[in-house]
Amino acid sequence: MSTTDIRIGELDQYYFGQGTHYDIYHKMGAHPTVIDGKKGVYFAVWAPHAAEVHLVGDFNGWSEESHPMTRLEPLGIYELFVPGLGVGELYKYMITTRDGRKLYKADPFANGSELRPGTASKVADIENLKWSDGTWMKKRRAQNPDQMPVSIYEVHPGSWKKHPATDENPDGFYNYREIAQSLTAYVKDMGYTHVELMGIAEHPFDGSWGYQVTGYYAPTARYGTVEDFAYMVNYLHKNGIGIILDWVPAHFPKDACGLAEFDGQPLFEYEDRRKGEHPEWGTKIFNYEKNEIKNFLIANALYWVEHLHIDGLRVDAVASMLYLDYGRNAGEWVPNKYGENKNLEAVEFFKHLNSVITGRNPGMMMIAEESTAWPKVTGAPEDDGLGFTMKWNMGWMHDFLDYMKLDPYFRSHNHNRMTFSLTYAFSERFVLVLSHDEVVHLKCSMINKMPGLYDDKFANLKVGYSYMIGHPGKKLLFMGQDFAQFQEWSEARELDWYLLGEQKHQQLQNFVKALLHLYKSDAALYGLDQSWEGFQWINADDCSRSIFSFIRHSEDQKSNLVFVLNFTPVAREDYCVGVPQSGTYKLVLNSDEEQFGGTGAERPTSYRAKKDECDGLPYRIEYPLPAYGVAVFKYTKRAPKEAAEKKAPAAKKTAAEKKAPAKKTAVKKTAAKKSTKTEK
């Protein structure tokens, strides 16, 4: 309960009208408070086109007349304080339109809601949430997302795990508090750094997966209250796990209780249907020209980030916002003032949004799901970029899946599908994604996309995931795909966890776990994600054998990794790979281990590089590469100067002690110098 005066004042209206009242959510909506010594709830709603607004709810028998609200000018905000009310009260706004219609609307700023199929808002107290994640939040402000490991586990909470159905919980949903504990244990064990939660903002239809939002400020009641949600965030943070939410500023549904024609006329949406509706999706589009709407959305993002401690927002359907002709035929859209298809208001909205969010919250991530080649999505707004922290790499995802679906016989002719992404890998700050969108609507699960018979499918998936982990960019994997869920995902049922009782599924999970822990623990795989300094092809052209080999460099050159990946069922017992220097290469990941479903054949853990040109590099290591084999080697790069200094004293000592072999020693010394020069 708030102990300060939260009533709407003149300055509140001014800043809201300017689009810069970033903490407006503390005043708009429904807030338990004390006014003139009386405890109650203060309500405020923006409805400028309304003739009248009444507050209705259980507390007054849903009476249309008993609780009229007072209009504040100049913005048309209606307010009312009701003594005696508290947390948990159900309510709506009954809006009388100028043409006499009566609309029952949920509160756009509500912090709680009734469980569907009910659509009423519910009074919640957001001023006294309990937090003990100060260490995490301090660390977040000091971090640079570019240089840290980000491996994201994408989760739909309602179908991740379910309880058996009961009368009290017919859907079997886990509460946010239960999710916190179960999800934390799984994510920590697997080695993910972040979870990305789908469908958290309140939405009426389960089948929308949370992408048609009616309650932007309310964690969905499916899993509990805002206090329960805060507990989950706090618990994950205290266990070192970051949290990203799907956020949907692109559109909203036409449900009668929601934002569509909120006060009898278009308010949140564009008035012109050619700009204000998605013809394919049947939804409304926010009016990015209007300051109050931009304020509603930016304050909402800040609510999740600052008030509820969320570490990142994955912004859905960015392309649909940027292009005026998105999903429209000729004649169904309105060009901008330059005659182009760019939505200039949406562009400015993104610049404003991202500048405020990341400017006020260093270390926080704004991630764009942008499916086109729009330039500078992650560029700075002052350089005409949109200001996002990262962008989903949809191009990589499509090429990768197209390649992986192929019979290995045909992969040699499609080698470029796997190498093409490196031509643009550093043009944006990318996240490599294998998301929920790729395992629904008859697209098959990841394991069933793979070619071949049963064993081949698992082997293909292991080498495919290895390429993903080795490729520059942050990582995202949808739930179930780390243990080879066979069924396509459905929001109506939980994952097929029973599969982990079968050997192949457990072995695949073991391998993904090893990949994730290697990624998180080795700076070579994330520290230089945004630069060619962190990546080096060894052989990008071995198309006849469908083998890819490359190096990931760490900034300090003390943790460099060599990846060798075989995408065919043909073993290469005499395989040689070029390496840049002499020394010992330690095998840190071997897919042929028995725990990963391999043969378990014994092999050395260390390999000494030989002085012999291979793949255009001066040294080589020999390794028997299995069918669909994955081998990752670790080495520390020695500076050429240090190598020469190390060899020189040994040569002098030998010459001083034994004059006869001095000539041989000189030859060795010359060879050492030559080797050093080659390394340079």
Side-chain angles (χ1 to χ4, degrees), residues 167-238:
D167 291 340
E168 294 77 21
N169 185 5
D171 298 295
F173 290 140
Y174 274 41
N175 181 275
Y176 288 118
R177 295 172 187 262
E178 296 175 303
I179 293 169
Q181 297 180 34
S182 295
L183 189 57
T184 294
Y186 185 79
V187 167
K188 286 183 72 173
D189 179 56
M190 287 298 295
Y192 293 100
T193 64
H194 293 72
V195 296
E196 180 177 313
L197 301 179
M198 298 168 56
I200 293 300
E202 191 58 83
H203 53 285
F205 178 47
D206 289 11
S208 77
W209 310 333
Y211 292 109
Q212 295 198 11
V213 178
T214 51
Y216 276 80
Y217 286 81
T220 178
R222 290 167 175 81
Y223 320 126
T225 65
V226 67
E227 291 89 351
D228 296 329
F229 180 81
Y231 174 93
M232 178 184 69
V233 174
N234 193 68
Y235 190 91
L236 283 160
H237 280 174
K238 292 192 74 174

Side-chain angles (χ1 to χ4, degrees), residues 376-635:
K376 298 183 180 180
V377 171
T378 57
E382 55 268 26
D383 190 31
D384 205 28
L386 297 183
F388 283 96
T389 316
M390 300 172 191
K391 172 184 173 176
W392 273 25
N393 194 335
M394 310 293 277
W396 172 87
M397 179 268 295
H398 287 300
D399 287 344
F400 173 82
L401 292 179
D402 286 346
Y403 181 89
M404 293 304 304
K405 292 174 187 176
L406 292 171
D407 185 293
Y409 179 82
F410 299 105
R411 285 177 177 167
S412 63
H413 302 292
N414 291 270
H415 201 72
N416 65 311
R417 289 186 183 275
M418 293 289 264
T419 60
F420 179 68
S421 57
L422 268 300
T423 66
Y424 62 86
F426 311 113
S427 61
E428 299 276 9
R429 295 175 174 85
F430 283 119
V431 183
L432 308 184
V433 294
L434 295 172
S435 74
H436 67 277
D437 277 330
E438 309 318 314
V439 293
V440 291
H441 300 325
L442 302 180
K443 292 181 180 179
C444 295
S445 63
M446 283 299 298
I447 188 68
N448 276 328
K449 294 180 195 292
M450 300 299 107
L453 300 177
Y454 186 75
D455 287 353
D456 293 313
K457 289 180 180 294
F458 286 89
N460 270 283
L461 204 50
K462 283 191 292 183
V463 69
Y465 285 159
S466 300
Y467 186 78
M468 178 184 184
I469 292 294
H471 191 290
K474 310 307 179 186
K475 325 295 176 187
L476 179 144
L477 192 64
F478 183 58
M479 64 182 195
Q481 305 317 312
D482 52 10
F483 64 80
Q485 164 99 4
F486 267 121
Q487 293 190 88
E488 284 187 335
W489 171 63
S490 168
E491 80 286 345
R493 60 174 182 264
E494 77 168 7
L495 296 180
D496 295 334
W497 293 103
Y498 67 87
L499 290 174
L500 286 171
E502 299 183 14
Q503 187 179 48
K504 282 292 181 184
H505 294 270
Q506 183 62 70
Q507 289 168 340
L508 178 73
Q509 189 193 54
N510 291 343
F511 187 74
V512 174
K513 185 189 301 186
L515 281 173
L516 291 169
H517 280 281
L518 176 66
Y519 170 77
K520 186 167 69 170
S521 65
D522 206 302
L525 292 173
Y526 59 81
L528 292 173
D529 256 342
Q530 317 303 335
S531 167
W532 274 109
E533 294 178 8
F535 182 89
Q536 176 186 346
W537 280 116
I538 294 174
N539 193 336
D541 302 317
D542 196 355
C543 55
S544 63
R545 296 186 294 182
S546 298
I547 295 174
F548 300 86
S549 53
F550 54 86
I551 301 173
R552 293 303 306 270
H553 296 290
S554 66
E555 189 171 8
D556 61 6
Q557 298 297 327
K558 293 181 179 179
S559 182
N560 304 290
L561 298 175
V562 172
F563 277 71
V564 183
L565 309 174
N566 181 4
F567 282 85
T568 72
V570 181
R572 307 290 178 179
E573 298 295 336
D574 58 347
Y575 189 76
C576 295
V577 61
V579 290
Q581 66 178 47
S582 62
T584 300
Y585 289 72
K586 182 181 178 183
L587 184 64
V588 293
L589 185 64
N590 165 28
S591 63
D592 201 36
E593 288 185 27
E594 202 169 336
Q595 64 169 322
F596 303 143
T599 66
E602 291 187 14
R603 60 188 67 214
T605 57
S606 297
Y607 293 79
R608 192 77 181 172
K610 297 180 180 179
K611 175 64 176 169
D612 190 9
E613 188 277 333
C614 182
D615 295 320
L617 295 171
Y619 297 89
R620 68 194 297 163
I621 55 175
E622 297 173 357
Y623 179 80
L625 188 62
Y628 296 118
V630 174
V632 182
F633 303 91
K634 186 171 186 176
Y635 72 98

